[in-house]
């Protein structure tokens, strides 16, 4: 099973301290891995590639629990694949985060009493680069703390020279293919960030507002419209009704007076209007509402903009210069004074869009912007999943993906910022428009100027799987490592990032998708399932937990909660429990080393091993097979749980304990078990390494003398199984567990020794008598032995002399109560099974279950009665 090419003589036990201190190990160990080049990916290697990109964190960011969670899962995958012999690339890097980074630097300038306009564009961009070099990217150091096995020699930044070339190249290609265009459309505008943002950067929440019903026109020719945004009525250019609505058919084609203005607006018929909603008449403001924009286009209506970029009213008159919210109150008051308000409802709870960056209420606004025509790109992204070129895991997330790509609107990619990839388009003095590629010279001369906008951050990060490998050049790295093997990311950016990468990857790389598998995970929440937030007071800095419990403890906790596509609750006590697990591994390995555990030489033959040895090796191989299958299905929680229970329960709590008498006895049997224990620990540490790399590396190198687990071989299932040994040890476990339960029921202390007779003559459990007695603290019978309690367990009669150790009367009372409960259970099951009407209607599985209850009740009655009979007279 073990294929360790680096194996040397085991290091002396003295090198392993009595306690594990993560802080003394982790930092030095990680830097050693990096210095030795273990994480470096070689494009010239003949090994099969395994590629994963890090979802590039913002340059403004720091490590939060969501990062730690995602990075743990990716690191576990890549470490295992490296051990399996793949040429593994985990690509690191950061995103320039246009809006967020510009906001950070502008706040710094504000403290100096200046704005970016005081500096000018060129000087401001230089200031941002300076901030990036001095303060940005602290997350890189935090990734080292976590143990991320990334290839630091390949670290990229979305604004570096190579990636900027990729951005300009694909913009030019899309432009030439008429998939990028410039048009005046309704966009989401943030009056705080002063830029357009895409649909997916708008977060909707229920806000308290007001719904006012306003009468337009007079008498029988009037209509009532309802709105939550009264300030936009200044930009109304029509009232729309449904063409089949009899109430308003006489008004279609006529005009009505627009209150508070000297304008009249037409009444138009449009099927978009729902005649059943409200009054069946709606105001139409084409420059400030996406639906109204469509109506305006269909009916050739004027587009009247009533606000500037700060959401301040620009229409001449009494409301000019008011903020939109101030104008709303003032306009409603003016309408009320004129008797135009028919009804008012406040508070009126409705869904309102907010900027995901600064939480400002979004203003739909007519604006000239650059757009990506997504119809063909989105179809290709959907087809790649439908035809099986790309798998989404878990499968149920496919619907969310298709709902998005199948209904994708054209994507506005221009941002009114200074920090970012500037749009490579020049305008000439006579209306010329020239898009410039990376190897082309921009036009010069009087009147020529470049577009002032920059590209949406998601435009450049959408190129990440191939731009980081040198595209558009056909580099060795691109040939070796594209497409990515798997993408691991949160379902929350399925639309932000994943769909963009799919569209761009398929377009730029001749129909080859950017990854073969998309693994979507959930969000990290607190132990009560509540979203973590500073405002809620439940946000956690993962560095605090790593400082307190070690990085392995945090990683194991996160992995153990990672069920596909499901949010992950986490609390500090769970991290503490994982720390205890790391300590358990440490202490068990120290015990093993002190008792002759070794990896030297071949494994003994099955004939030389005890049943206990054969059992643990059988369970070891079964666990290897189980963990492999779970890794391949991205079931991180299940594989972590399988490793936890195998290591803690089967290896440490059972095998080590059952083998102690063997080790104490010495001789050939102890040598055999020492080699078996060495093998089990070797393989177990290998399996645990991808999730808990630090403690396993320290223990494994001490146990084996090998160079590093990072480059060791991943264990393989040898196929060894011994079902007979598994049955035999299973019986031993049941016997020990039942007697331990009995001892606890009697109030006996765990270390208290009790005389006992074990009926093992002729039993296959006879070879285990010494171990059973040791684990159960059972002394030999001795002179004067008198059985006061007898337990029949798994065909073995265990007679105990509890005289002087238990309260006989209390024990008889307890057993009598248990006997009564068992007899009641038997009576209920017997009655149901004797009811012909019930048997005729009940499903077979229900009847089988009741029969099982009856069998168990009979067994319980026999066991309890035997225990009562064995008690001495009171």
């Amino acid at each position: 099973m073990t294929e360790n090419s680096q194996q040397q003589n085991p290091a002396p036990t003295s090198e392993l301290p009595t306690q594990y201190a993560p802080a003394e190990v982790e930092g030095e160990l990680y830097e050693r891995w990096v210095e030795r080049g273990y994480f470096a990916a070689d494009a010239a290697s003949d090994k099969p590639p395994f590629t994963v990109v890090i979802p590039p964190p913002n340059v403004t960011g720091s490590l939060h629990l969501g990062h730690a969670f995602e990075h743990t899962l990716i690191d576990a995958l890549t470490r295992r694949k490296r051990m399996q012999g793949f040429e593994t690339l985990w690509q690191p890097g950061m995103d320039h985060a246009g809006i967020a980074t510009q906001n950070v630097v502008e706040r710094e300038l504000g403290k100096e009493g200046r704005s970016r306009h005081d500096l000018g564009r060129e000087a401001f961009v230089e200031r941002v680069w300076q901030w990036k070099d001095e303060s940005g990217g602290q997350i890189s150091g935090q990734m080292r703390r976590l143990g991320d096995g990334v290839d630091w020699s390949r670290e990229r930044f979305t604004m570096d020279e190579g990636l900027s070339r990729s951005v300009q190249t694909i913009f030019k290609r899309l432009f030439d293919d008429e998939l990028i265009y410039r048009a005046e459309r309704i966009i989401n505008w943030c009056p705080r960030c002063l830029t357009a943002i895409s649909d997916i950067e708008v977060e909707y929440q229920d806000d308290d507002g007001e719904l006012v019903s306003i009468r337009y026109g007079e008498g029988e020719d009037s209509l009532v419209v309802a709105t939550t945004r009264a300030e936009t009525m200044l930009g109304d250019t029509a009232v729309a009704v449904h063409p089949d609505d009899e109430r308003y058919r006489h008004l279609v084609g006529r005009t009505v007076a627009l209150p508070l203005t000297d304008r009249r607006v037409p009444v138009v018929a449009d099927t978009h209007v729902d005649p059943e909603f409200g009054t069946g008449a709606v105001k139409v403001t084409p420059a400030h509402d996406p639906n109204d924009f469509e109506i305006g286009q269909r009916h050739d209506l004027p587009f009247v903009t009533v606000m500037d970029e700060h959401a301040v009213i620009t229409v001449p008159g009494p409301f000019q210069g008011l903020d939109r919210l101030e104008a709303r109150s003032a306009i409603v008051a003016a309408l009320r004074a004129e008797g135009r308000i028919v009804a008012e409802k406040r508070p009126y709870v409705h869904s309102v869009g907010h900027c995901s960056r600064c939480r400002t209420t979004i203003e739909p606004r007519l604006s000239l912007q650059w757009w990506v025509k997504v119809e063909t790109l989105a179809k290709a992204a959907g087809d790649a999943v439908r035809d099986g070129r790309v798998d989404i895991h878990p499968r149920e997330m496919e619907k969310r993906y298709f709902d998005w790509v199948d209904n994708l609107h054209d994507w506005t990619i221009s941002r009114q910022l200074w920090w970012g990839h500037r749009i490579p388009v020049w305008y000439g003095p006579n209306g010329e428009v020239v898009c410039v590629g990376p190897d082309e010279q921009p036009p010069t001369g009087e009147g020529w100027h470049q577009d002032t906008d920059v590209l949406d951050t998601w435009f450049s990060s959408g190129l990440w799987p191939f731009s980081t490998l040198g595209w558009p050049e056909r580099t060795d790295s691109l040939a070796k490592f594209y497409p990515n093997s798997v993408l691991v990311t949160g379902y929350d950016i399925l639309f932000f990032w994943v769909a963009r990468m799919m569209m761009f990857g398929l377009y730029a790389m001749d129909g080859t998708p950017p990854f073969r598998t998309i693994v979507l995970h959930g969000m990290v929440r607190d132990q009560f399932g509540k979203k973590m937030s500073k405002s809620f007071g439940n946000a956690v800095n993962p560095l605090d937990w790593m400082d307190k419990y070690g990085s392995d403890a945090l990683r194991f906790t996160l992995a153990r909660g990672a069920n596909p596509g499901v949010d992950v609750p986490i609390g500090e006590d769970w991290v503490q429990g994982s720390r205890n697990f790391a300590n358990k591994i440490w202490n068990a390995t120290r015990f093993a080393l002190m008792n002759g555990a070794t990896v030297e030489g071949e494994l003994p033959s099955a004939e030389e091993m005890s049943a206990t040895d054969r059992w643990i090796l059988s369970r070891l191989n079964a666990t290897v097979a189980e963990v492999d299958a779970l890794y391949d299905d991205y079931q991180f929680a299940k594989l972590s749980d399988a490793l936890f229970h195998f290591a803690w329960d089967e290896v440490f709590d059972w095998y080590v304990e059952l083998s102690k008498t063997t080790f104490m006895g010495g001789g050939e049997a102890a040598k055999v078990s020492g080699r078996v224990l060495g093998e089990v620990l070797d393989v177990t540490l290998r399996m645990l390494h991808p999730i808990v790399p630090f403690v396993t590396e320290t223990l494994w190198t001490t146990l084996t003398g090998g160079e590093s687990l990072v480059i060791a071989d991943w264990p393989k299932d040898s196929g060894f199984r011994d079902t007979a040994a598994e049955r035999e040890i299973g019986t031993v476990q049941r016997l020990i567990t039942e007697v331990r339960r009995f001892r606890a029921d009697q109030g006996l202390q765990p270390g208290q020794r009790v005389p006992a007779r074990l009926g093992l003559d002729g039993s296959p459990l006879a070879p285990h008598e010494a171990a059973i007695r040791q684990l159960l603290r059972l002394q030999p019978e001795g002179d004067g032995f008198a059985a006061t309690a007898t337990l029949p367990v798994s065909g073995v009669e265990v007679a105990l002399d509890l005289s002087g150790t238990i309260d006989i009367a209390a024990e008889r009372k307890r057993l009598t109560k248990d006997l009564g409960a068992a007899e009641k259970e038997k009576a209920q099951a017997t009655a149901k099974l004797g009811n012909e009407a019930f048997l005729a209607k009940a499903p077979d599985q229900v009847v089988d279950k009741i029969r099982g209850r009856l069998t168990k009740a009979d067994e319980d009655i026999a066991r309890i009665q035997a225990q009562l009979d064995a008690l001495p007279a009171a």
Side-chain angles (χ1 to χ4, degrees):
M1 180 184 299
T2 301
E3 301 175 4
N4 176 23
S5 59
Q6 299 85 30
Q7 191 167 297
Q8 304 164 9
N9 292 328
T13 307
S14 59
E15 289 188 7
L16 208 56
T18 55
Q19 290 184 326
Y20 178 50
E24 298 175 9
V25 170
E26 293 175 350
E28 181 181 343
L29 200 52
Y30 184 83
E31 293 308 319
R32 187 187 311 155
W33 291 334
V34 173
E35 288 166 8
R36 292 181 178 179
Y38 292 158
F39 304 140
D42 181 6
S45 166
D46 59 1
K47 296 178 181 178
F50 182 82
T51 316
V52 185
V53 296
I54 180 178
N58 288 352
V59 68
T60 58
S62 59
L63 192 74
H64 57 63
L65 270 179
H67 287 126
F69 173 54
E70 185 168 83
H71 289 206
T72 294
L73 304 186
I74 299 174
D75 197 38
L77 286 178
T78 54
R79 283 178 182 269
R80 172 176 175 259
K81 285 296 183 179
R82 189 179 295 111
M83 295 172 74
Q84 287 182 313
F86 286 77
E87 191 61 38
T88 303
L89 169 61
W90 184 11
Q91 174 69 56
M94 286 184 294
D95 189 278
H96 66 278
I99 296 176
T101 305
Q102 181 157 318
N103 283 345
V104 168
V105 178
E106 285 197 271
R107 282 196 296 269
E108 285 194 351
L109 287 174
K111 296 174 184 177
E112 301 169 9
R114 296 189 294 171
S115 73
R116 61 184 165 116
H117 300 285
D118 295 323
L119 270 66
R121 183 169 193 143
E122 186 175 337
F124 176 77
V125 171
E126 287 180 4
R127 178 69 178 261
V128 180
W129 277 108
Q130 179 186 345
W131 175 88
K132 187 261 180 186
D133 293 339
E134 295 175 356
S135 306
Q138 61 174 308
I139 200 169
S140 297
Q142 296 166 337
M143 287 166 59
R144 283 176 148 84
R145 282 289 314 278
L146 190 63
D148 286 3
V150 300
D151 185 347
W152 290 111
S153 69
R154 293 174 175 266
E155 187 175 11
R156 303 306 298 269
F157 180 56
T158 50
M159 287 282 287
D160 68 25
E161 183 177 354
L163 270 66
S164 295
R165 179 179 177 83
S166 300
V167 169
Q168 193 172 354
T169 298
I170 201 165
F171 187 99
K172 170 70 172 173
R173 291 188 185 180
L174 290 164
F175 181 89
D176 291 346
D177 287 344
E178 298 183 352
L179 293 174
I180 281 184
Y181 65 95
R182 197 179 190 217
E184 196 172 39
R185 298 275 186 87
I186 290 287
I187 50 93
N188 302 299
W189 182 264
C190 176
R192 160 63 183 80
C193 297
L194 296 180
T195 183
I197 62 174
S198 65
D199 291 343
I200 53 177
E201 293 172 298
V202 179
E203 293 183 352
Y204 288 89
Q205 66 185 48
D206 288 341
D207 286 356
D208 287 344
E210 60 180 354
L211 180 67
V212 293
S213 297
I214 309 167
R215 183 176 299 280
Y216 285 24
E218 304 294 341
E220 293 183 359
D221 293 342
S222 65
L223 306 93
V224 175
V225 301
T227 182
T228 58
R229 304 175 67 229
E231 68 280 8
T232 63
M233 68 164 292
L234 300 175
D236 286 359
T237 57
V239 174
V241 298
H242 194 276
D244 298 332
D245 195 331
E246 294 289 346
R247 294 171 295 175
Y248 304 116
R249 183 167 291 178
H250 68 289
L251 292 177
V252 174
R254 298 169 62 180
T255 63
V256 294
L258 180 64
L260 305 182
T261 72
D262 58 1
R263 292 192 291 119
R264 297 184 68 85
V265 297
V267 178
V268 299
D270 196 282
T271 54
H272 170 76
V273 179
D274 180 1
E276 303 298 323
F277 181 76
T279 64
V282 297
K283 59 192 289 298
V284 181
T285 319
H288 290 278
D289 183 276
N291 294 320
D292 293 2
F293 176 83
E294 301 292 339
I295 294 175
Q297 284 193 316
R298 285 195 290 271
H299 297 277
D300 198 23
L301 299 174
F303 289 70
V304 178
T305 299
V306 300
M307 297 178 216
D308 65 13
E309 65 270 23
H310 298 280
V312 171
I313 301 297
T314 57
V315 178
F319 311 111
Q320 187 175 10
L322 294 180
D323 170 82
R324 56 183 166 168
L325 298 181
E326 296 172 334
R328 182 178 302 170
S329 299
I331 287 171
V332 170
L335 289 168
R336 191 183 298 114
E338 289 192 3
R340 293 283 176 182
I341 301 294
V342 175
E344 297 180 67
K345 184 177 180 180
R346 63 170 66 87
Y348 177 73
V349 179
H350 61 132
S351 181
V352 178
H354 295 261
C355 173
S356 62
R357 308 289 181 183
C358 68
R359 310 303 175 194
T360 301
T361 300
I362 289 300
E363 187 61 45
R365 185 169 185 260
L366 187 65
S367 181
L368 184 62
Q369 301 284 346
W370 285 95
W371 304 80
V372 172
K373 189 182 297 183
V374 300
E375 183 179 3
T376 58
L377 300 173
K379 182 180 183 303
D383 289 346
V385 175
R386 287 188 170 96
D387 64 24
R389 281 175 289 159
V390 178
D391 291 324
I392 293 180
H393 187 88
R395 183 74 66 181
E396 54 265 26
M397 286 289 180
E398 279 188 0
K399 183 180 184 302
R400 297 182 66 172
Y401 177 78
F402 291 135
D403 285 347
W404 178 254
V405 297
D406 292 348
N407 298 285
L408 196 58
H409 299 294
D410 285 0
W411 169 23
T412 175
I413 55 172
S414 46
R415 298 291 180 266
Q416 289 64 55
L417 303 171
W418 286 357
W419 172 244
H421 295 100
R422 193 164 174 181
I423 289 176
V425 171
W426 271 255
Y427 305 105
N430 299 311
E432 301 95 332
V433 178
V434 176
C435 181
V436 178
D439 298 317
E440 301 171 352
Q441 291 297 319
T444 58
E446 186 177 351
W448 283 94
H449 64 280
Q450 186 178 358
D451 196 299
T452 57
D453 288 350
V454 301
L455 288 164
D456 178 10
T457 295
W458 296 105
F459 189 95
S460 52
S461 60
L463 313 181
W464 193 249
F466 52 92
S467 64
T468 52
L469 299 173
W471 187 90
E473 278 65 52
R474 295 289 173 171
T475 64
D476 291 342
S477 290
L478 188 66
K480 178 72 174 180
F481 295 114
Y482 187 92
N484 284 200
S485 307
V486 62
L487 172 73
V488 180
T489 191
Y491 63 68
D492 59 322
I493 58 172
L494 179 61
F495 317 131
F496 282 87
W497 191 45
V498 179
R500 269 92 166 111
M501 287 190 290
M502 285 285 282
M503 291 191 295
F504 282 163
L506 289 160
Y507 173 80
M509 298 300 294
D510 303 319
T512 302
F515 20 74
R516 297 187 179 92
T517 303
I518 301 169
V519 176
L520 297 171
H521 59 72
M523 304 296 102
V524 177
R525 297 181 178 272
D526 70 13
Q527 65 266 41
F528 305 110
K530 189 174 182 180
K531 181 180 178 180
M532 285 192 173
S533 167
K534 290 181 180 178
S535 60
F536 294 156
N538 63 349
V540 174
N541 183 345
L543 295 176
D544 292 341
W545 282 351
M546 285 192 280
D547 288 342
K548 194 170 183 180
Y549 302 110
S551 298
D552 286 330
L554 177 63
R555 289 172 60 115
F556 192 74
T557 303
L558 292 167
R560 204 172 178 192
N563 289 297
V566 178
D567 289 346
V568 183
I570 184 172
E572 184 171 1
D573 54 334
W574 303 339
V575 185
Q576 185 175 354
S578 295
R579 188 271 314 273
N580 296 343
F581 179 50
N583 288 342
K584 184 82 169 180
I585 302 170
W586 185 271
N587 293 333
T589 305
R590 287 191 74 253
F591 168 85
L593 289 169
M594 289 187 292
N595 285 275
T598 181
V599 296
E600 292 185 312
E602 296 296 323
L603 275 173
S605 66
E607 291 73 23
E608 296 175 90
M609 297 181 200
S610 68
T612 308
D613 294 331
R614 297 195 305 276
W615 163 73
I616 197 62
L617 287 176
S618 182
R619 290 297 307 129
L620 176 67
N621 278 282
T623 303
V624 170
E626 180 183 10
V627 168
D628 271 335
L630 292 170
Y631 258 119
D632 291 341
D633 196 33
Y634 307 102
Q635 297 280 357
F636 297 99
K638 290 182 179 179
L639 72 88
S640 299
D641 215 43
L643 286 169
F644 174 86
H645 287 296
F646 174 72
W648 191 306
D649 299 343
E650 296 186 285
V651 179
F652 306 147
D653 279 359
W654 282 111
Y655 180 72
V656 168
E657 294 299 322
L658 287 170
S659 300
K660 281 183 177 178
T661 53
T662 301
F663 289 128
M664 287 188 291
E668 193 59 32
K671 290 180 180 179
V672 170
S673 291
R675 180 63 187 93
V676 170
L677 181 53
E679 179 76 6
V680 170
L681 286 175
D682 175 15
V683 174
T684 302
L685 292 170
R686 289 170 190 258
M687 287 194 291
L688 283 166
H689 175 73
I691 300 175
V692 285
F694 295 107
V695 66
T696 53
E697 173 85 340
T698 306
L699 294 173
W700 185 84
T701 52
T702 303
L703 172 70
T704 69
E707 181 182 341
S708 173
L709 262 178
V710 179
I711 56 172
D713 294 319
W714 180 255
K716 295 179 180 178
D717 174 12
S718 71
F720 177 82
R721 299 290 191 279
D722 192 324
T723 54
E726 290 196 36
R727 284 195 300 271
E728 184 173 320
I729 300 304
T731 304
V732 172
Q733 290 172 321
R734 286 191 295 275
L735 186 151
I736 292 173
T737 300
E738 188 63 34
V739 176
R740 279 176 172 168
R741 183 182 296 117
F742 177 79
R743 286 177 56 104
D745 288 343
Q746 308 312 309
L748 297 176
Q749 295 300 313
Q752 187 174 349
R753 295 196 170 272
V754 176
R757 180 176 61 244
L758 302 180
L760 294 176
D761 291 344
S763 167
L765 302 190
H768 304 284
E769 179 168 359
I772 292 170
R773 286 187 177 277
Q774 173 65 22
L775 289 173
L776 290 174
R777 303 297 188 267
L778 300 180
Q779 298 175 183
E781 300 171 51
D783 297 334
F785 175 83
T788 59
T790 303
L791 282 76
V793 184
S794 300
V796 176
E797 186 176 87
V798 181
L800 304 171
D801 184 353
L802 302 178
S803 55
T805 62
I806 63 170
D807 183 333
I808 300 298
E811 177 62 9
R812 185 177 296 280
K813 182 177 179 181
R814 183 189 71 81
L815 288 172
T816 301
K817 181 179 178 182
D818 290 348
L819 181 62
E823 289 173 337
K824 181 179 180 182
E825 174 72 3
K826 178 179 179 177
Q828 291 175 342
T830 301
K832 283 192 174 184
L833 293 174
N835 186 334
E836 294 296 336
F838 170 77
L839 293 176
K841 295 179 180 179
D844 290 344
Q845 60 266 32
V846 173
V847 175
D848 289 343
K849 186 176 180 180
I850 293 173
R851 287 186 178 130
R853 285 169 50 192
L854 179 60
T855 299
K856 185 177 184 304
D858 282 333
E859 291 174 352
D860 288 344
I861 290 169
R863 173 178 56 82
I864 297 168
Q865 189 61 60
Q867 291 176 249
L868 279 168
D869 293 344
L871 289 176

